[in-house]
Amino acid sequence: MKKNNSIKHINKAISYLRLSEDDDDKLESNSISNQRLINQNHAEGLSIEIVAEKVDDGYTGTNFDRPGFQEMLELLRQGVANCVIVKDLSRLGRDFTGVLNFVQRIFPEMGVRFISVMDPYDSESEISQNDYLSLPIKSLINESYPANTSISIRGTLNSMRKEGLFVAAFTYYGFKKDPENRHKIIIDPLAGEVVRDIFRLKLSGYSQDHIADYLEDKGILTPADYKVSQGINFKTPFKRYARSHWTAQAVGRILTNEIYIGVLIQGRTTTPNFKVKKIIEKSEDEMAIIHGKIPKLISPTDFMVVQHLMDKDMRTAPGSETVYLFAGILECASCRQNLVRKSVKQNGKEYIYYVCSTNKYDKNQCSPHRISERKLTKAIILLIQYHINMIVEMKTLLKYIENIPFADRQVQKDSMRLNMLKKDYQLNMKRSAKLYEDYQDGILTKEEFLTYKKRFRERCQELEKLIEEQKNESIDIFKKIRNQNEWINHLLQFQNIQELDRRTLVSLIKNIRVSQEGNIEVEFWFKDEYENLLQSIENINISLQDSVIETFLHTPEMEGGVLCG
């Protein structure tokens, strides 16, 4: 570094001012103004001319990567000034090691006088030169402030996250901060509708690339540009040009973000401490994951279906913006590989059918499992209609069951297990009562009496608990048939379908498997919920022996459980 040899005739200084956060002053922070005044007055008292002023307003003191500070160093290297004046050591910085390095090594090597007005410290003063303790202690105290502040802020933010309060600077695309509560987010009507459109397009068979093209053609602003258009000072590493463009990756981030089904995930990353800025990814257990604190933009069912589709390898149909109707959900029942679409032209007509992809590429592996697209489509429509009709009947039955008076259900007293538990309890109570008689008659010793008494008491307590659980279980049978509206209503959206489109297909059916004989096995969404509800209805019928429930349970689908065609 260049050393200034005229140190005994110092009269040119740089006034350095710094503040971590802006205050309400329209032009600059009030504290900056105060620092300026203090530095100027001190310089005048020492007959030092301030030739430059460098300001870092809104910059942390925990590092020296500040524009004003770096400009000051450059002026010192150029010899424009040979003195630095600050209000106090904390304005120079709050990094203990860094501050001492500048004051005790770098500035002296450059021949630069350093003055900290309020401490007071002046490198030209004999008192300051002979004081080896004050400067390190004050610097260490200054560093402890951001350390304690960092710990306090981290603790506060963690508590807020666990409460489901939104603490990030910017909301996710599709949401905005509530004007009345900045820690609460609400749906943004404009961006929220774009998010819904993205999910609708994906369910309709569009790839991420084609969704991005669609949004570009419509002139819809990207998330980053939309934030800027709303007056938000937002910067992102994903934006590389003046006007950013929709990409498949941007669409994919939206399609896989659980925020849109009301799951708020915060605290995904952290840093080792306030001085080290290295980003560390947290494990899922360490994140704050809160359900139900924010509104849902997308139904959980649509989100679930989209995630299922995202895992599939599907290609857009040639000359089309969407995939083929059965892409990604048609499987070979034998090898579980996808069936691929083939077309054959004969007598001026095009015939489309599906074959096992394994057999297509190696005739010695698997078998064709061939099925006509026309026959497949017709069969699927019939199966959907039949399944939906069963759901309609099930919903009607649930209303019927809920209207049966509880006293007539006879669940508690007709439960065989409950009666057995009660009998066991009564037997143990009789045995417990007889123990004292046997003890009095000398049949049992005192030690045997106390041992058996304890054993029977513990057994009775256990039976009391089991009896209560059984009663609750009997009541829960009826509770289980309630709150089924979400998945039932989802299926009933498609009650009167006559034609099959992509969105209807993927919203109702998870997989279709084709056997070697050309039979199809369909797995509808909510298979587990359907079967659990059916089991609850059967349990109720065991107690009630109701003719209406009995008729429902003996329909063809109820006896088979799997729809085939």
Side-chain angles (χ1 to χ4, degrees), residues 65-127:
D65 187 18
R66 311 171 222 143
F69 188 85
Q70 295 301 322
E71 291 169 6
M72 179 187 73
L73 290 180
E74 185 59 32
L75 292 178
L76 293 174
R77 295 188 187 101
Q78 294 172 6
V80 174
N82 46 21
C83 179
V84 173
I85 300 178
V86 297
K87 175 187 169 237
D88 57 55
L89 276 176
S90 67
R91 299 308 92 202
L92 184 68
R94 292 189 181 275
D95 183 323
F96 171 74
T97 305
V99 168
L100 292 183
N101 188 41
F102 273 101
V103 175
Q104 295 181 337
R105 187 179 70 83
I106 296 177
F107 286 160
E109 287 179 355
M110 298 175 72
V112 172
R113 178 180 181 180
F114 176 72
I115 298 173
S116 177
V117 178
M118 304 301 293
D119 287 305
Y121 179 89
D122 186 339
S123 61
E124 278 289 281
S125 165
E126 186 175 345
I127 295 176

Side-chain angles (χ1 to χ4, degrees), residues 330-334 339 353-356 366-380 383 512-522 563-565:
L330 199 57
E331 295 180 355
C332 170
S334 299
L339 267 64
Y353 60 97
Y354 289 87
V355 296
C356 173
C366 205
S367 58
H369 291 67
R370 186 190 306 266
I371 189 169
S372 161
E373 184 180 64
R374 183 180 60 81
K375 291 182 179 178
L376 175 63
T377 303
K378 183 178 179 181
I380 292 298
L383 287 170
I512 302 171
R513 296 188 178 96
V514 181
S515 71
Q516 185 173 346
E517 295 77 21
N519 293 326
I520 60 173
E521 179 183 319
V522 175
L563 290 173
C564 298

Side-chain angles (χ1 to χ4, degrees), residues 21 23 29 39 48 90 121 126 156 179 184 225 335 341 357 362 379 385 402 463 483 496 565:
E21 293 181 358
D23 65 8
S29 300
N39 291 358
I48 295 175
S90 67
Y121 179 89
E126 186 175 345
T156 300
K184 178 182 178 182
D225 288 345
C335 68
R341 188 176 185 272
S357 57
D362 186 350
Q385 291 172 339
E402 288 180 0
L463 287 169
N483 303 320
N496 298 310

